[in-house]
């Protein structure tokens, strides 16, 4: 579906393994997306699954104040927001409370991460991400701890922001997001891991540029030499196009 006719023919002939893998992943995401919507019998909750799944966490006020526009929900009173929030909270396969008695739900991270690429392909989902960035920048969420990091996270998901160059700020962003950093594009993940001082794989280094790339290569070489892997250093210098000194 949505693939050029020649691509489909190539897939059938088995002559496009990369395209076949990509199509397989897309089909799995579409299947999961459909199953999620089918499992929600309450029509008012379906928009909260998509595009609302863009949000990591949901508070009652966000249903009317953040999600209503992009999700096509009607204007709500606080009581209606609360009622919809409480109904959503009963779907334990989709959400969980952040803590005992907490007035905040969290979309199950593993499920959300599987669905994000498919959901973010929809314009409404990117609007949710933009609305979330605004919520944490100038809206009701601006006073919450880590609001600036949340705003940046959602702006990146929306495709509206780039990471800062400040390595300390990147390190703090990675600490704030924790496992949620894995929701972000591969190049962003690589920069966050480099800022945390991790030894990066070659595939991750390929996403980096400038000083961050130089630091990552240097750290990888130092680690390899510490473990007696000088041959690997030479081989990777050639593959990375690096022939000079450290």
């Amino acid at each position: 579906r949505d693939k050029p006719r020649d691509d489909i023919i190539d897939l059938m002939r088995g002559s496009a393994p990369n395209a076949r893998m990509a199509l397989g992943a897309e089909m799995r995401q579409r299947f999961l997306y459909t199953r999620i919507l089918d499992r929600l019998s309450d029509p008012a909750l379906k928009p909260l699954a998509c595009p609302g799944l863009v949000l990591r966490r949901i508070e009652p006020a966000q249903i009317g104040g953040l999600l209503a526009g992009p999700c096509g929900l009607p204007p709500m009173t606080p009581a209606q927001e609360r009622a919809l929030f409480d109904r959503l909270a009963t779907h334990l396969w989709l959400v969980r409370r952040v803590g005992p008695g907490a007035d905040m739900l969290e979309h199950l991270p593993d499920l959300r991460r599987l669905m994000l690429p498919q959901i973010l392909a929809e314009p409404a989902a990117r609007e949710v991400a933009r609305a979330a960035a605004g919520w944490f920048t100038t809206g009701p969420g601006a006073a919450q701890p880590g609001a600036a990091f949340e705003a940046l996270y959602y702006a990146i998901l929306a495709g509206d922001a780039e990471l800062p160059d400040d390595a300390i700020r990147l390190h703090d962003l990675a600490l704030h997001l924790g496992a949620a950093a894995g929701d972000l594009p591969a190049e962003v993940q690589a920069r966050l891991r480099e800022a945390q001082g991790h030894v990066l794989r070659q595939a991750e280094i390929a996403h980096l540029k400038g000083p961050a790339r130089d630091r990552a290569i240097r750290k990888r070489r130092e680690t390899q030499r510490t473990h007696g892997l000088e041959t690997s250093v030479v081989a990777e210098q050639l593959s990375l196009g690096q022939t000079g000194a450290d």
Side-chain angles (χ1 to χ4, degrees), residues 79-155:
Q80 290 172 321
E81 292 171 349
R82 164 62 60 182
L84 200 55
F85 177 87
D86 290 340
R87 278 149 57 190
L88 179 63
T90 65
H91 293 271
L92 301 181
W93 56 273
L94 180 61
V95 296
R96 64 189 179 196
R97 290 197 181 271
V98 173
D103 212 23
M104 182 181 291
L105 299 175
E106 177 183 46
H107 282 115
L108 297 183
D110 290 343
L111 174 63
R112 178 174 172 272
R113 188 165 298 128
L114 280 173
M115 291 301 303
L116 266 182
Q118 180 67 38
I119 292 175
L120 286 171
E122 303 293 333
R126 295 192 293 277
E127 287 305 311
V128 169
R130 290 188 181 99
W135 179 274
F136 288 108
T137 302
T138 58
Q144 294 181 7
F149 294 134
E150 290 292 324
L152 180 56
Y153 168 84
Y154 285 111

Side-chain angles (χ1 to χ4, degrees), residues 2-85:
D2 299 327
K3 296 288 182 181
R5 181 174 178 273
D6 290 346
D7 287 355
I8 300 298
I9 292 173
D10 283 343
L11 291 174
M12 294 174 65
R13 291 174 175 168
S15 60
N18 291 335
R20 186 164 60 251
M21 289 175 63
L23 182 60
E26 181 179 334
M27 291 177 67
R28 287 193 296 272
Q29 288 173 349
R30 285 185 181 274
F31 175 75
L32 184 58
Y33 168 79
T34 302
R35 289 293 300 271
I36 286 175
L37 293 185
D38 288 346
R39 193 167 180 178
L40 287 169
S41 58
D42 188 336
L45 292 181
K46 288 183 183 292
L48 298 185
C50 183
L53 200 67
V54 168
L55 293 185
R56 293 204 296 144
R57 296 174 174 177
I58 300 178
E59 306 169 46
Q62 289 177 327
I63 293 177
L66 191 163
L67 291 173
C71 294
L73 298 171
M76 297 184 193
T77 65
Q80 290 172 321
E81 292 171 349
R82 164 62 60 182
L84 200 55
F85 177 87

